[in-house]
Amino acid sequence: YTCSINKYVLEDPDFPDENPCYAPFGASHEETEPRYGYPDPSKYHQWTDLVSPIDPPPAAVQLSEFQLGVSDTTETVTLNLTKLNAVATNDFGTQLAPGTGPSSAIDADPSTDWVDYERGSLVITFPYAVAANVATFTTGSGSYEDDPVEWAFEGSNDGVTWRPLGSQAYRYQTPLGRRVKLPWFPIKDQNSTAFFKKYKFTPLMLRGSESTSGYMVNWEPNPYGAAMQGLGNLEKG
């Protein structure tokens, strides 16, 4: 069962046979139902329905710096990508502002950002194979909704055949702070130190991605004093 409010088509997957737009609300004299919905208009004629996304979809993937390193039991040495003549590319990426291309991710300048509106992969290419067993990145200056929270690392010597080097397969608590460096993450080629000419970082999910199916429901005016709000798991159909 779906219904339309404003420009949204809503459905409640937990109650597919019920109208998600009208449900008794748990006020002081009513029984709370196990879901959120709109007050029945036959009871509350004066209320105005308003539904809006909790968060807009992330506009782009962004990060300030991407780094590779070599780590042992005592220390981690950050590779100097500039001295190693590394080149950063972002095939099919889209940048809307000057200075936000992939080279900004390896320029050792945390005041610049790589931003890609296609949310594609960042590829670091060396003129020869380079050993690395850890990688990390620094958050950008824009919205934290555009920060990666899931990602994958790959390595290749020809740009055609890629080997998996590790991934963050569940939602990582990427810091909300801007220009914050994350800890080092291990990258390995079959349990050995990676040794490749190309290293690829692919964002699999951004922080804002999980919010695109949630909606904030407001009922105004509230006869009990203030606007009621409910977090609904109403899916955009």
Side-chain angles (χ1 to χ4, degrees):
Y1 201 116
T2 63
C3 66
S4 298
I5 293 290
N6 297 340
K7 62 181 180 179
Y8 297 102
V9 177
L10 306 178
E11 62 180 350
D12 189 336
D14 295 327
F15 297 87
D17 298 325
E18 298 182 28
N19 189 329
C21 290
Y22 303 110
F25 180 75
S28 59
H29 61 283
E30 292 188 67
E31 180 181 354
T32 302
E33 288 203 352
R35 66 189 174 98
Y36 293 103
Y38 279 80
D40 188 330
S42 65
K43 295 183 179 180
Y44 304 108
H45 302 281
Q46 77 278 24
W47 286 15
T48 300
D49 295 333
L50 173 64
V51 62
S52 59
I54 298 172
D55 295 298
V61 60
Q62 62 156 346
L63 56 85
S64 174
E65 289 295 310
F66 179 80
Q67 295 174 302
L68 295 167
V70 177
S71 180
D72 58 24
T73 57
T74 59
E75 66 175 343
T76 298
V77 176
T78 302
L79 300 183
N80 188 321
L81 302 185
T82 301
K83 288 187 177 181
L84 291 172
N85 297 314
V87 175
T89 56
N90 174 212
D91 291 345
F92 309 110
T94 300
Q95 286 77 39
L96 300 183
T100 59
S103 62
S104 294
I106 62 169
D107 60 1
D109 182 357
S111 68
T112 63
D113 293 331
W114 165 57
V115 181
D116 177 20
Y117 285 83
E118 301 299 329
R119 306 168 212 171
S121 300
L122 179 70
V123 178
I124 312 300
T125 302
F126 298 93
Y128 42 80
V130 171
N133 61 7
V134 289
T136 187
F137 65 89
T138 300
T139 60
S141 63
S143 170
Y144 56 71
E145 295 292 334
D146 300 341
D147 293 342
V149 294
E150 294 182 11
W151 56 82
F153 299 112
E154 297 173 273
S156 175
N157 283 315
D158 58 10
V160 177
T161 302
W162 291 89
R163 297 177 66 92
L165 303 180
S167 64
Q168 180 66 34
Y170 59 93
R171 188 180 175 97
Y172 184 77
Q173 296 299 314
T174 303
L176 296 177
R178 304 295 78 204
R179 311 293 195 198
V180 176
K181 182 179 177 179
L182 276 65
W184 290 101
F185 298 90
I187 57 175
K188 294 181 179 181
D189 179 26
Q190 296 183 339
N191 296 320
S192 300
T193 296
F195 192 66
F196 292 103
K197 293 177 64 175
K198 294 177 178 288
Y199 289 85
K200 181 190 292 186
F201 170 80
T202 301
L204 302 177
M205 178 179 287
L206 309 184
R207 175 179 280 110
S209 298
E210 287 192 345
S211 300
T212 57
S213 63
Y215 291 84
M216 178 68 76
V217 181
N218 299 274
W219 300 295
E220 298 179 314
N222 177 356
Y224 302 102
M228 293 181 180
Q229 292 184 335
L231 276 177
N233 187 26
L234 300 174
E235 300 292 336
K236 185 175 181 181

